[in-house]
Amino acid sequence: VIPQSLTGLSLVGEGDVLLKGSAVISPAGLATERQNGITLYCMREWQANTQQVYINGKSISQIGGILYGDAPNPTDQQAVWPGRRPGDKASLFALPAGENAFYYDQAGKTLYLRYDALQPEDLIEAAKDPAVIRNWADKVTLSGLTVMHANTSGYNRHGAVNILNADDCLIENLTVAYNDSIGLHVNGNNNRLEDCEFGYNGQLGLAVKGDGNHIKRISSHHNNTRNFGMDGEAGGVKCMGTVPFTNGSIEDSVFFNNMGDGIWFDTYNDNVTITNVVCAHNEGHGLHYELSYRAAIRDSKFFKNKKRGIYLSSSAECTVENNEIYFNDYEGLAVINDLNREKNVKIPFGE
């Protein structure tokens, strides 16, 4: 945690600096429960609402799971998280031989593992910390770090790395990957994100809010590994909410193979420049600009997305020029006013 008092702090990694939000569990410290010849391994008095478990660096399936610390409510949970696999401890016993999974009993504070070939030397890592980095200070530099295994969605809707009401920060050369929910969450003004990679996060590569934020040379790919609802918040990057993304830009960046939109702006974003980006092979739209204003989309490529290449939804005074849009499953470019809002969309060359 970086408090407001540490304005101007630089947190710079030298060499390979890896920060993890998981805790290592020794196989020797696990209790066991057996039923019909099947063994479950149990970590008693486990306080974390764990959303991911890795054994020897590979994730195993999750049974059940409660988001954001809520009391069990499978219907609501399933709506936000269609990929949720309902079940409990009994479901672990019922799995076919060779299928590895875990279940967290929130009431009993026990983490159960089904791993049929567990060995004493195996490395078990259970996601534990809601965030790896929380920054509240202005003018902070985060550089040269790899962040993994945060346990955010068990508690809140933030990210593994958080810029919280902080301005004029530089986030550069970060790799934020294999976290349970959102990789990077930015809420502040005049921040710069440069030369970063966001991949294989459980819900979303990054979420950015505020005025004057600029994103350059990033890649966001293979996000939403846990199959959150693509119509809610999932994919490469999303900018939305009570604090819109205004007077900012995304440049020289790539968004690919996300289970969701590559780029999604939603609600009251304004004066946004999107230049020289590639949005490809996403399960949703390449670029989705919704309920917002004045986007300039130029010199970019949108191809082989499962929905539209560019989707301007109820958004005003946008310019789309000099782009390549091809081989998308829906329309290459769609301009739709779902709410009959006044708009003036300019498409100079009819791409």
Side-chain angles (χ1 to χ4, degrees):
V1 176
I2 303 172
Q4 286 182 320
S5 58
L6 293 181
T7 298
L9 176 75
S10 292
L11 184 60
V12 180
E14 295 184 0
D16 296 326
V17 178
L18 174 59
L19 306 177
K20 288 186 176 182
S22 56
V24 174
I25 298 174
S26 169
L30 296 172
T32 58
E33 294 185 15
R34 290 183 61 81
Q35 186 179 107
N36 298 325
I38 296 170
T39 301
L40 298 187
Y41 298 91
C42 319
M43 189 66 186
R44 313 286 189 194
E45 301 301 323
W46 184 257
Q47 302 301 315
N49 182 14
T50 290
Q51 302 294 310
Q52 290 191 125
V53 172
Y54 289 83
I55 299 182
N56 300 326
K58 295 182 179 181
S59 64
I60 63 174
S61 299
Q62 181 180 16
I63 301 295
I66 301 299
L67 299 176
Y68 316 128
D70 293 341
N73 189 335
T75 301
D76 290 345
Q77 295 282 319
Q78 214 72 39
V80 175
W81 177 21
R84 183 179 185 271
R85 189 174 175 183
D88 52 18
K89 182 177 73 171
S91 303
L92 292 180
F93 281 115
L95 291 175
E99 183 173 356
N100 304 316
F102 75 94
Y103 167 73
Y104 179 59
D105 179 355
Q106 195 166 23
K109 303 300 181 187
T110 301
L111 181 64
Y112 292 95
L113 307 178
R114 167 80 183 269
Y115 196 82
D116 292 344
L118 190 67
Q119 301 297 315
E121 65 273 15
D122 285 336
L123 175 64
I124 304 171
E125 297 172 286
K128 184 178 180 182
D129 297 328
V132 178
I133 298 174
R134 287 195 192 95
N135 172 57
W136 298 87
D138 296 337
K139 300 179 180 179
V140 162
T141 295
L142 302 177
S143 179
L145 307 170
T146 296
V147 176
M148 300 170 62
H149 294 184
N151 194 42
T152 309
S153 66
Y155 300 92
N156 57 55
R157 298 174 184 264
H158 288 170
V161 179
N162 298 277
I163 307 298
L164 300 168
N165 299 318
D167 302 336
D168 302 300
C169 296
L170 173 62
I171 301 98
E172 63 174 3
N173 297 312
L174 261 60
T175 298
V176 185
Y178 298 102
N179 298 286
D180 73 310
S181 181
I182 300 172
L184 171 68
H185 175 260
V186 175
N187 188 349
N189 304 318
N190 302 315
N191 298 295
R192 290 183 293 144
L193 285 64
E194 301 178 359
D195 302 297
C196 296
E197 180 180 3
F198 307 93
Y200 299 96
N201 294 293
Q203 182 176 8
L204 187 65
L206 63 160
V208 185
K209 305 175 183 179
D211 184 72
N213 294 308
H214 296 281
I215 301 169
K216 293 184 179 180
R217 299 181 302 277
I218 73 161
S219 65
S220 186
H221 60 89
H222 296 95
N223 295 294
N224 197 17
T225 58
R226 297 175 67 204
N227 192 19
F228 281 78
M230 292 196 299
D231 292 333
E233 189 173 70
V237 56
K238 189 169 187 184
C239 305
M240 69 160 295
T242 55
V243 182
F245 187 101
T246 57
N247 303 309
S249 64
I250 301 178
E251 304 175 50
D252 306 325
S253 298
V254 295
F255 304 85
F256 62 94
N257 289 106
N258 295 289
M259 186 177 284
D261 295 338
I263 302 172
W264 188 359
F265 289 89
D266 184 6
T267 311
Y268 303 128
N269 305 285
D270 193 4
N271 194 26
V272 176
T273 300
I274 301 165
T275 306
N276 194 30
V277 304
V278 175
C279 295
H281 298 277
N282 297 292
E283 292 295 313
H285 306 291
L287 167 62
H288 188 178
Y289 200 77
E290 179 179 11
L291 291 166
S292 297
Y293 305 89
R294 286 177 287 272
I297 305 162
R298 299 186 173 100
D299 304 317
S300 298
K301 296 181 180 181
F302 305 89
F303 60 91
K304 291 194 175 181
N305 298 289
K306 290 293 186 181
K307 294 186 178 179
R308 296 169 172 125
I310 299 175
Y311 181 23
L312 302 180
S313 174
S314 302
S315 294
E317 300 181 45
C318 297
T319 299
V320 181
E321 60 183 355
N322 201 35
N323 299 287
E324 296 181 34
I325 310 171
Y326 55 92
F327 295 144
N328 299 285
D329 284 9
Y330 292 11
E331 302 91 343
L333 169 63
V335 182
I336 298 175
N337 187 8
D338 293 331
L339 301 181
N340 296 315
R341 294 176 57 185
E342 181 180 353
K343 59 192 296 181
N344 178 21
V345 178
K346 305 168 188 174
I347 308 175
F349 305 118
E351 288 89 343

